[in-house]
Amino acid sequence: MTETPNPHIVDADSLTGEMHPIRRVVVALGSNLGERLTALQGALDAMADTPEVWLTSVSGVYETAPVDSPAEAKPYLNVIVLLDTTLPAHRLMERALAIESAFGRERGDVRNAPRTLDVDLIQVGDRRADDDLLVLPHPRAHERGFVLKPWHDLEPDAVLLDHGPVAQLLDKLDLSGVTRREDLSLELQ
């Protein structure tokens, strides 16, 4: 397990001298349209190329049944990415949306419609947000086995803000539709 930097340590911007705290971030990636694994690897690479973002680990790949999706939706591939960043949460969310867009994500009126790529911020340090762009912690993460199971694999002692230990949250879920794909993996740059 990778240690999260001390939240009281700050990183200084070398150009402006501005001080920024380093935060641990949990990101969920998912895809159920097109070349699913390729989209996930591309998103991982794009996050790694983001200034002030340091990827620390990526979970195994899980194949999961669609949740609250249209009947024709195919299974998702899902992973959890842990990273450290000095970016503000809203700027990180803007980057996540740009990555989705770069991989052909189309947003329509159908909730949980199939998608080429989904990039969700689950938790950004101890930050909370509730506005049009961002809700932190993610409002449904505590109900999603495809988020909690791979996160627990990476950090067995993880805690989801406002909901408690991930291990205890997993005990309350039906994980029958969440299967680890040992034949698939992603690579950190």
Side-chain angles (χ1 to χ4, degrees):
M1 177 170 66
T2 302
E3 293 285 324
T4 300
N6 183 325
H8 304 291
I9 295 175
V10 293
D11 185 42
D13 184 306
S14 59
L15 293 176
T16 66
E18 249 183 286
M19 303 297 270
H20 303 282
I22 297 174
R23 293 185 186 90
R24 166 54 53 100
V25 179
V26 180
V27 178
L29 302 178
S31 175
N32 75 334
L33 280 181
E35 295 295 322
R36 301 175 300 165
L37 191 64
T38 300
L40 296 180
Q41 184 65 58
L44 190 67
D45 294 345
M47 287 190 304
D49 289 340
T50 303
E52 298 185 62
V53 169
W54 303 275
L55 275 56
T56 59
S57 54
V58 60
S59 72
V61 178
Y62 280 78
E63 190 159 42
T64 60
V67 176
D68 300 328
S69 296
E72 72 277 4
K74 294 179 180 166
Y76 278 86
L77 290 183
N78 295 97
V79 297
I80 289 293
V81 179
L82 300 180
L83 61 91
D84 295 323
T85 188
T86 55
L87 292 176
H90 282 80
R91 189 167 316 149
L92 195 58
M93 186 64 201
E94 289 167 356
R95 177 67 174 159
L97 293 172
I99 292 169
E100 286 181 349
S101 180
F103 283 86
R105 168 77 186 263
E106 295 179 11
R107 294 182 182 276
D109 295 335
V110 178
R111 181 177 165 91
N112 296 323
R115 58 202 67 171
T116 54
L117 184 63
D118 193 26
V119 180
D120 286 332
L121 300 185
I122 304 303
Q123 187 162 281
V124 179
D126 61 357
R127 296 296 181 253
R128 289 170 176 78
D130 190 357
D131 57 47
D132 292 342
L133 180 65
L134 180 61
V135 177
L136 286 174
H138 189 284
R140 291 173 304 285
H142 67 286
E143 304 168 338
R144 304 294 200 221
F146 59 84
V147 169
L148 299 177
K149 181 63 179 130
W151 186 8
H152 183 264
D153 289 353
L154 292 175
E155 292 186 316
D157 58 347
V159 175
L160 178 61
L161 285 177
D162 303 333
H163 295 284
V166 169
Q168 290 178 10
L169 296 171
L170 276 170
D171 288 341
K172 300 175 187 175
L173 298 178
D174 174 7
L175 299 175
S176 60
V178 180
T179 305
R180 177 133 184 207
R181 291 284 305 265
E182 299 295 339
D183 59 322
L184 302 177
S185 64
L186 298 180
E187 297 295 323
L188 289 177
Q189 283 186 13

